[in-house]
Amino acid sequence: MIIDFLDTITTIKKLYTVSLEPVCKQYDLTRMELDILLFLANNPQYDSAKDIIERRKLTKSHVSTSIKSLTKNNYLKPVYLPNNKKTVHLKLLNSADEIIKAGQQAQKIFFETILKDFSKDEKQTIINAFSKIQRNAQQKLKEDYLYES
């Protein structure tokens, strides 16, 4: 059972990678760069590098390198809020709109593919189950000091 579960997660991650690959190639982006653009577009309430690192569990150096590249290519603009000059907030620029639309379409097709043949109730059950699995894993990691969320 455990092996099947881990194999399933690996297969799903592989399909997600394959699903986003054409978008990366079309727009000459790394997967990390596309992930950052999609994260910011899909989660507007989280708009800093720290948010991306914490929420997506990515390494600081990779996120930093990708943000620099996206800024250089005019897809992102770092901004400071008037009341907080310490935190850099990341603003998506209009030049990223086409990429984001293509990426979101790839995400939509990916989710439609993996959730094909499930009823609305079954889909909600899956979402709830994976939320619990994630909470349980994060809690155990916190307890064992292996991980900070």
Side-chain angles (χ1 to χ4, degrees):
M1 179 172 151
I2 295 296
I3 296 297
D4 291 340
F5 179 74
L6 295 176
D7 286 346
T8 299
I9 290 171
T10 301
T11 302
I12 291 168
K13 287 175 69 173
K14 176 68 175 170
L15 177 61
Y16 187 70
T17 295
V18 169
S19 298
L20 292 181
E21 208 169 87
V23 179
C24 291
K25 285 182 180 177
Q26 180 179 354
Y27 294 99
D28 194 27
L29 296 172
T30 66
R31 170 65 190 281
M32 178 73 70
E33 291 167 346
L34 181 59
D35 283 347
I36 289 170
L37 292 176
L38 291 172
F39 176 85
L40 292 169
N42 294 336
N43 304 280
Q45 71 275 29
Y46 300 112
D47 67 350
S48 71
K50 182 180 178 184
D51 290 333
I52 296 166
I53 292 162
E54 289 178 355
R55 307 281 312 169
R56 291 296 313 279
K57 317 299 184 244
L58 302 171
T59 61
K60 186 176 181 179
S61 61
H62 288 118
V63 170
S64 178
T65 300
S66 295
I67 287 172
K68 284 178 186 169
S69 175
L70 291 167
T71 300
K72 180 182 164 212
N73 290 312
N74 294 313
Y75 297 130
L76 280 182
K77 179 181 178 182
V79 296
Y80 292 93
L81 299 180
N83 59 345
N84 182 349
K85 298 292 184 186
K86 287 176 72 175
T87 303
V88 177
H89 296 271
L90 303 168
K91 181 182 184 319
L92 290 167
L93 299 177
N94 291 340
S95 54
D97 288 351
E98 185 178 319
I99 298 167
I100 291 166
K101 185 177 178 183
Q104 288 173 329
Q105 181 63 25
Q107 287 178 322
K108 181 177 185 255
I109 292 168
F110 163 78
F111 283 112
E112 287 172 353
T113 300
I114 65 169
L115 297 174
K116 182 177 72 166
D117 301 328
F118 285 94
S119 70
K120 185 177 178 180
D121 288 344
E122 288 170 326
K123 289 175 186 177
Q124 191 58 53
T125 299
I126 291 168
I127 290 167
N128 293 341
F130 270 94
S131 292
K132 287 180 183 179
I133 290 168
Q134 182 178 13
R135 273 196 314 275
N136 291 342
Q138 286 176 330
Q139 183 60 40
K140 181 62 175 167
L141 289 169
K142 280 183 192 175
E143 289 170 5
D144 293 345
Y145 303 106
L146 298 173
Y147 172 79
E148 294 179 21
S149 64

